[in-house]
Amino acid sequence: MDVEVLAASRLRFDDGTPVRAASAVVALGDGHLVVSDDATHAAWCRDGSVTAVRLLPPVEGHEVFDEASGTKALKPDLETACRVEVDGEPAVLVMGSGSSPARMRWCLLRLDGGRPTTVVADASAVYTRVADVLGVDLDVLNLEGACVVDGALRWFHRGLPSAGLPSGSVDVDLADAVALAVGRGAAAGVRVARPRHYDLGSVHGVGLAITDVVALPDGRLLASAAAEDSPDPRDDGPVVASALARIRGDRVLEVAAIPELDGAVVKVEGLMLLGADDAGATLLAVTDVDDPDAASWEVRIRVSR
């Protein structure tokens, strides 16, 4: 598997402010939505314009969160964005990472007359069930990616391999998840099953852990992974490597490094499939640079077989 960076640019809103801490990217209408893990709003990229889309109300009066201001514990940590359907119409499900009540909310986005509308659901009981099925403590749960596989929502736990917590996934009943997101079901009724764990290897002694996943037409998955030397799932650390992994079922078939940008490792946290053919796939990736004042990268990547 060969990985080539085709193009890269910094993400900024139309007023010039940076799109911070990009954690997921997903198609929305005639553009794509970039979710940030330290903000209550996302960035909608269309025709060269980048505008803010509200996902959550302010948290104790704050719209953005960081360690320097003492607000990091409040952040919703929205890490996952996945295309779903509601009543036969496309929608986007955005989900928090878990590990604390602040990070256990789901946002469902739909377009109404071309304008995004959002509803929010408390999914705490789902996170408790996921932690139980994966066999991890709730306070280390770190769910960072999801895709639809065989009619189920496959939800990926990043883990912390260097601390003995491997990356993993569970299958969430898709109909149950959508019902909860739109307010037609209860979190306690969402079915979670089929735990899997993945070994992606390590770089310089730091384990690679899954940060996002997309499904390919042939049934295989492509996952982004980062080797981040952090003490726990909530605190940042130096990223020594970033990679893509090809997965089928619970088997990691192949791992290949993502080239550096401007001489530095890029921490890819979000993937979107732009197209696939017999020769490979083209992806749109977004990165978290772990600096609240810096704009995230948006990168077009070609993966060849």
Side-chain angles (χ1 to χ4, degrees), residues 216-299:
L216 299 175
D218 65 4
R220 287 182 291 184
L221 309 177
L222 275 177
S224 56
E228 184 171 5
D229 193 6
S230 56
D232 58 62
R234 289 174 296 278
D235 293 314
D236 297 325
V239 179
V240 302
S242 188
L244 290 178
R246 202 188 305 272
I247 297 171
R248 184 183 291 279
D250 59 357
R251 291 182 56 229
V252 178
L253 304 176
E254 193 175 2
V255 178
I258 297 174
E260 294 182 353
L261 284 179
D262 286 352
V265 172
V266 291
K267 183 183 177 185
V268 171
E269 292 225 353
L271 292 176
M272 186 177 97
L273 183 65
L274 296 176
D277 52 39
D278 291 341
T282 304
L283 306 170
L284 183 66
V286 294
T287 78
D288 183 352
V289 296
D290 290 331
D291 179 350
D293 297 321
S296 303
W297 284 102
E298 183 176 83
V299 187

Side-chain angles (χ1 to χ4, degrees), residues 61-217:
H62 298 281
E63 301 279 13
V64 294
F65 312 87
D66 54 60
E67 192 167 1
S69 65
T71 58
K72 183 175 179 178
L74 300 176
K75 77 173 187 174
D77 205 35
L78 298 171
E79 289 278 1
T80 300
C82 183
R83 291 267 289 185
V84 297
E85 285 191 359
V86 178
D87 300 329
E89 297 294 327
V92 171
L93 181 61
V94 179
M95 300 181 282
S97 65
S99 82
S100 73
R103 303 178 179 197
M104 296 182 182
R105 286 182 289 178
W106 289 2
C107 311
L108 186 82
L109 276 77
R110 285 179 283 183
L111 295 180
D112 183 4
R115 297 173 60 87
T117 63
T118 308
V119 292
V120 179
D122 178 2
S124 301
V126 183
Y127 289 85
T128 300
R129 177 63 178 151
V130 170
D132 181 58
V133 170
L134 281 173
V136 302
D137 292 337
L138 186 60
D139 64 351
V140 298
L141 196 63
N142 191 13
L143 296 156
E144 293 212 2
C147 58
V148 175
V149 180
D150 297 330
L153 184 70
R154 188 158 297 168
W155 203 5
F156 287 82
H157 167 59
R158 181 171 171 178
L160 189 63
S162 58
L165 298 171
S167 291
S169 70
V170 295
D171 283 358
V172 179
D173 185 278
L174 185 57
D176 291 349
V178 171
L180 170 63
V182 298
R184 301 173 189 166
V190 176
R191 289 166 286 182
V192 180
R194 301 195 65 175
R196 294 176 172 87
H197 293 92
Y198 308 91
D199 182 358
L200 283 74
S202 62
V203 180
H204 304 308
V206 181
L208 285 162
I210 292 174
T211 59
D212 202 7
V213 181
V214 292
L216 299 175

